[in-house]
Amino acid sequence: MAKSSTTSASAELIGLVERQVALGPRVPGSAAHDRLADELAARLDGAGAEVHVQPFEARFHGRTVSCRNVVGVFHCGTPAAPMLLLGTHYDTRPIADREPDPRLRGVPIPGANDGGSGTAVFLHLLDWLRGEAGGLGRDVAVAFVDAEDLGDIDGNPFSLGAERLAANPPVGVGRPDEVLVLDMVGGRDLVLDIDAHVFRHAPSRELTASLFRLGASLDLAPFAREKPERVKYIISDQWPFLRRGVPACLLIDLDYPEWHTQADLPAAMSGDSLAAIEAALKPWLSRPRAKGHRSSPGS
Ligand SMILES: [Zn+2]
């Protein structure tokens, strides 16, 4: 039974990626991007979350475009319990700077893994969160973050949306006390990297260790397997939080050969990788925790 439910989760998760890819590249300013943002807000609302949209603008390729972070808060804790933010970017990169064929480097990537994978995992988790939220004992925010992947294009940094969310969280969301970010978690033969930034911030190191320990104890390959040079300094949507002192953990595998190429398609991915991430997240979210306290406003 456990096996068959994992198999169906794998198929459902890849289906959620395919659905996003079928919209077309979700480049900020495009119709596909705006349509997905609308769908994410509707899915959060349908799962019983309180939805907050944080609009902002970005500029690239000579255009100013509308962006938005879409955040759903599941109120399931006492006000004093630390709030956890689960974040992932849903936008996709407007160029393919690692594409081997130079003629295709100016074409937006399909963004199956890079943009589609974390979004699929959190979409799939929504129904579970709706059912389990009361038992988690704390507020959990699911943040579909925009404009991660405009980095190094026309002078933009990476993670514009996460920077906005960390610097100026919407009223009703507030400053998270812990952050977990997913990015490119659906590659074949996924082995997760470890963000070296956490070794300079003990609470982030402990948060990261708790998830990797649990994943390895369940013998889930992305956590349990080793690879050379697994520890890397990585800038993704965890960084705006971590650099402000918020304990933050990033799950990512940068050793994805199709990264920022036209081959970032569902065919390069594995539903089992996505399912393994989800299989670690559920018990990690449910784990008993030492009593913590919600940070006070302005701290
Ligand atoms: Zn990217």
Side-chain angles (χ1 to χ4, degrees):
M1 181 171 158
K3 187 154 188 105
S4 70
S5 72
T6 304
T7 307
S8 72
S10 298
E12 288 165 12
L13 284 157
I14 279 290
L16 287 165
V17 171
E18 288 168 343
R19 161 86 189 114
Q20 294 173 75
V21 172
L23 292 172
R26 283 79 68 211
V27 174
S30 69
H33 169 275
D34 293 350
R35 183 163 171 194
L36 179 59
D38 288 344
E39 287 187 13
L40 295 172
R43 285 293 312 275
L44 287 166
D45 183 59
E50 179 186 290
V51 180
H52 299 270
V53 175
Q54 182 175 38
F56 60 99
E57 289 183 337
R59 189 164 173 81
F60 70 101
H61 292 179
R63 294 175 65 206
T64 300
V65 297
S66 298
C67 300
R68 47 188 150 145
N69 295 326
V70 181
V71 187
V73 181
F74 291 86
H75 288 288
C76 34
T78 59
M83 191 266 267
L84 171 69
L85 184 135
L86 304 173
T88 192
H89 77 94
Y90 71 91
D91 65 297
T92 59
R93 191 162 180 79
I95 58 172
D97 28 339
R98 294 166 58 93
E99 166 62 37
D101 182 345
R103 292 167 302 178
L104 297 176
R105 284 185 197 144
V107 177
I109 62 165
N113 194 21
D114 193 358
S117 63
T119 303
V121 171
F122 286 151
L123 278 174
H124 199 251
L125 201 63
L126 288 184
D127 288 336
W128 181 86
L129 269 175
R130 175 185 212 164
E132 294 291 321
L136 300 182
R138 59 161 152 183
D139 289 355
V140 176
V142 176
F144 295 107
V145 178
D146 205 352
E148 190 270 350
D149 228 338
L150 297 176
D152 297 334
I153 301 172
D154 299 340
N156 283 298
F158 284 92
S159 296
L160 287 174
E163 176 65 28
R164 189 65 59 113
L165 192 56
N168 189 20
V171 175
V173 177
R175 182 189 197 256
D177 300 288
E178 291 178 347
V179 170
L180 170 68
V181 165
L182 306 185
D183 191 4
M184 297 208 294
V185 290
R188 261 184 273 105
D189 303 319
L190 188 78
V191 181
L192 294 164
D193 295 315
I194 295 166
D195 173 24
H197 291 108
V198 305
F199 296 108
R200 299 178 180 181
H201 187 235
S204 293
R205 186 182 59 206
E206 181 42 43
L207 188 72
T208 301
S210 70
L211 182 48
F212 275 78
R213 265 198 308 265
L214 193 149
S217 75
L218 297 172
D219 204 24
L220 296 164
F223 299 89
R225 282 175 53 193
E226 283 294 341
K227 66 178 177 183
E229 298 175 48
R230 191 175 187 184
V231 179
K232 306 173 172 77
Y233 282 101
I234 304 170
I235 302 290
S236 182
D237 291 335
Q238 96 290 6
W239 177 239
F241 295 95
L242 203 161
R243 75 180 180 86
R244 288 177 169 84
V246 179
C249 169
L250 171 66
L251 298 188
I252 193 169
D253 180 1
L254 279 177
D255 301 310
Y256 175 61
E258 295 80 7
W259 182 31
H260 291 179
T261 74
Q262 299 302 335
D264 181 9
L265 290 162
M269 296 173 61
S270 158
D272 290 348
S273 297
L274 297 167
I277 298 298
E278 189 181 49
L281 286 188
K282 287 178 180 175
W284 184 74
L285 290 166
S286 307
R287 75 199 189 283
R289 286 166 298 108
K291 282 219 179 342
H293 291 285
R294 178 105 206 223
S295 57
S296 55
S299 66

